[in-house]
Amino acid sequence: MKKDKQQSFLRKPYDRRLCFYLILLLAAYCILPTASFAARMQSRAALVMDASTGKILYAKNPDLKCLPASTTKLMTAIVTMENADLNDVVTISSKAAHVPPHRAGFKEGDRVMIDELLHAALIGSANDAAVALAEAVAGSEERFVELMNTKAIEIGATNTRFINANGLPGPGQYITVHDLAKIMDYALRYKKLKAIIGTRVTEVSTMGGNTKLIRNTNRLLWSEEDLVGGKTGYTNKARHCFVCAAERKRDTIIVALLGSPSRRNLWKETEFLIGRGFDVMEDRETPTVYLTKADYTGTARSKRSYRRHGRSRIKKVHGKSAKLAAKKPLKYKKTKIYVKKIKRIKTCIKTKKGCRVAKKDELEKDKG
């Protein structure tokens, strides 16, 4: 009797549909977390790689060419390790002392050991230290860049091109997250570099006794237990960049991100990717690669930055009349200026005094 009731229950169309929907929901629950993660990733490109095998565990746009920012200094450090004695003393040049914008504060004529410059470049991301290293190794930054690009090809980073030793933006410069992960993996072969990128705070000194306190720009060193170390990067065009290594038991993974919209988002996504990478290593997740539509010419400014730049542009172009409206929202300011411009043209048509007559097609063109 009980068996008959169960069979009759399942024969009802409503109940069959309900079972079908429950199965669909269960499948979606298993699939959606993985699929929706790609949509939540705000960085232009990201990658997790098994350091021992080079296998990709997760990737979003792994071969998308992006700007490297100060992650460039990893290659600067590698070339320095292979071509210089760390105990050599370098005299800081005028070019190195005045390179913008982030510096350790070395002055022209300061004498500094290469070892100290490496710490300043990798821990404090000091541009003056990076240029000083380039000049010490190759005689000039231009010749040093040739060594950097040659080394990139040797490592297998064939979708990378450097134009300077510090990562400041310029034409013809690019890297992919896959190449950046390869460069980090290669850098870990040097115990010295591995120790430096894992240092939280240190002091660097000149031969004259001037000491500077350097704090690591990598915030995850204070919060992520599995982190070995990493290198940050930021410019307006490149946005926030980061590459790091993490170890758990006997497994080591490399995480690389390029073009993140904010530093907060960068840390959040890095922590997620570290967890994701170890889940794949322990067979709790499957390797995944996503390709998404991306802006290959650069990322858009943030809303606040756009308003700031837009405001200054309006002041310059439209002069005193626009300064009164500068405190109002950008959308409103543009509307007001647009209306004034149209009114001025219409006035010229009516009066014909002191200005030429605007034709109808010109007025329509101005509206566009």
Side-chain angles (χ1 to χ4, degrees):
M1 184 71 179
K2 186 176 181 181
K3 187 175 180 181
D4 293 338
K5 285 184 178 180
Q6 289 177 345
Q7 290 177 347
S8 63
F9 174 79
L10 291 173
R11 280 196 295 269
K12 294 179 181 179
Y14 173 79
D15 299 319
R16 288 199 298 271
R17 285 197 301 271
L18 180 61
C19 290
F20 176 72
Y21 290 140
L22 286 173
I23 293 170
L24 282 179
L25 285 173
L26 181 62
Y29 178 79
C30 296
I31 295 171
L32 281 178
T34 300
S36 63
F37 177 66
R40 293 201 309 270
M41 283 287 295
Q42 296 183 53
S43 297
R44 294 183 67 206
L47 181 135
V48 185
M49 185 179 81
D50 180 356
S52 60
T53 64
K55 179 182 177 181
I56 294 177
L57 308 177
Y58 172 87
K60 173 187 175 182
N61 300 328
D63 298 317
L64 175 65
K65 291 180 179 179
C66 303
L67 297 176
S70 284
T71 61
T72 297
K73 295 183 178 77
L74 267 180
M75 182 58 78
T76 301
I78 290 170
V79 175
T80 300
M81 288 290 298
E82 296 183 350
N83 294 277
D85 185 340
L86 300 190
N87 294 317
D88 285 348
V89 177
V90 177
T91 300
I92 304 297
S93 68
S94 175
K95 179 183 177 181
H98 295 96
V99 63
H102 186 68
R103 300 187 291 266
F106 297 115
K107 297 179 181 179
E108 182 180 355
D110 280 348
R111 299 176 70 248
V112 189
M113 287 180 59
I114 287 180
D115 183 71
E116 300 288 299
L117 292 173
L118 271 177
H119 281 78
L122 292 178
I123 298 174
S125 201
N127 291 333
D128 50 357
V131 173
L133 287 170
E135 293 175 340
V137 171
S140 71
E141 188 175 13
E142 291 72 23
R143 286 196 289 271
F144 186 82
V145 168
E146 293 176 9
L147 297 177
M148 293 172 69
N149 288 321
T150 300
K151 192 62 188 180
I153 294 172
E154 290 178 7
I155 290 174
T158 54
N159 284 325
T160 293
R161 184 173 181 271
F162 299 110
I163 63 169
N164 53 45
N166 48 44
L168 290 176
Q173 179 183 223
Y174 55 84
I175 197 170
T176 67
V177 283
H178 197 182
D179 282 2
L180 183 56
K182 291 177 182 178
I183 292 169
M184 170 58 85
D185 187 29
Y186 188 89
L188 292 176
R189 299 181 184 183
Y190 293 98
K191 293 181 179 180
K192 181 71 175 181
L193 297 184
K194 186 176 180 180
I196 292 175
I197 62 175
T199 301
R200 295 177 180 177
V201 181
T202 190
E203 288 183 342
V204 294
S205 303
T206 67
M207 298 302 290
N210 294 328
T211 302
K212 307 173 191 303
L213 184 68
I214 303 293
R215 181 183 173 88
N216 204 311
T217 55
N218 175 10
R219 200 194 75 179
L220 292 185
L221 283 174
W222 281 265
S223 61
E224 184 64 43
E225 293 181 358
D226 299 321
L227 200 73
V228 173
K231 183 69 196 78
T232 59
Y234 173 81
T235 66
N236 286 334
K237 290 185 178 180
R239 307 308 295 163
H240 298 271
C241 308
F242 187 54
V243 59
C244 68
E247 291 180 350
R248 184 179 295 177
K249 297 178 181 178
R250 295 182 179 179
D251 296 328
T252 301
I253 61 172
I254 309 294
V255 176
L257 301 97
L258 294 169
S260 181
S262 68
R263 192 52 63 103
R264 180 179 179 182
N265 181 78
L266 185 74
W267 303 138
K268 179 181 177 182
E269 291 185 353
T270 300
E271 289 175 330
F272 192 99
L273 289 173
I274 289 173
R276 173 80 182 211
F278 285 122
D279 284 345
V280 175
M281 293 288 285
E282 295 168 10
D283 295 325
R284 291 197 296 268
E285 294 283 352
T286 56
T288 311
V289 176
Y290 291 99
L291 300 176
T292 65
K293 291 182 179 180
D295 177 13
Y296 280 70
T297 60
T299 53
R301 288 193 182 103
S302 65
K303 193 175 290 184
R304 181 182 298 177
S305 175
Y306 177 75
R307 286 178 178 175
R308 183 173 67 252
H309 286 277
R311 185 175 297 145
S312 61
R313 185 164 56 249
I314 289 171
K315 286 181 181 179
K316 290 179 182 178
V317 174
H318 300 283
K320 295 180 180 179
S321 61
K323 287 184 179 179
L324 297 175
K327 294 182 180 180
K328 297 177 182 178
L330 182 62
K331 186 175 180 182
Y332 177 77
K333 288 184 293 183
K334 281 189 172 181
T335 305
K336 294 292 289 182
I337 293 166
Y338 169 77
V339 171
K340 287 179 181 178
K341 191 173 181 182
I342 298 301
K343 284 182 178 179
R344 187 163 61 250
I345 294 173
K346 288 184 177 180
T347 304
C348 291
I349 296 171
K350 286 181 180 180
T351 62
K352 299 183 183 179
K353 293 180 180 180
C355 60
R356 66 181 182 83
V357 177
K359 297 179 181 179
K360 183 178 179 181
D361 57 341
E362 291 179 302
L363 189 61
E364 294 296 324
K365 186 178 179 182
D366 187 76
K367 289 181 181 180

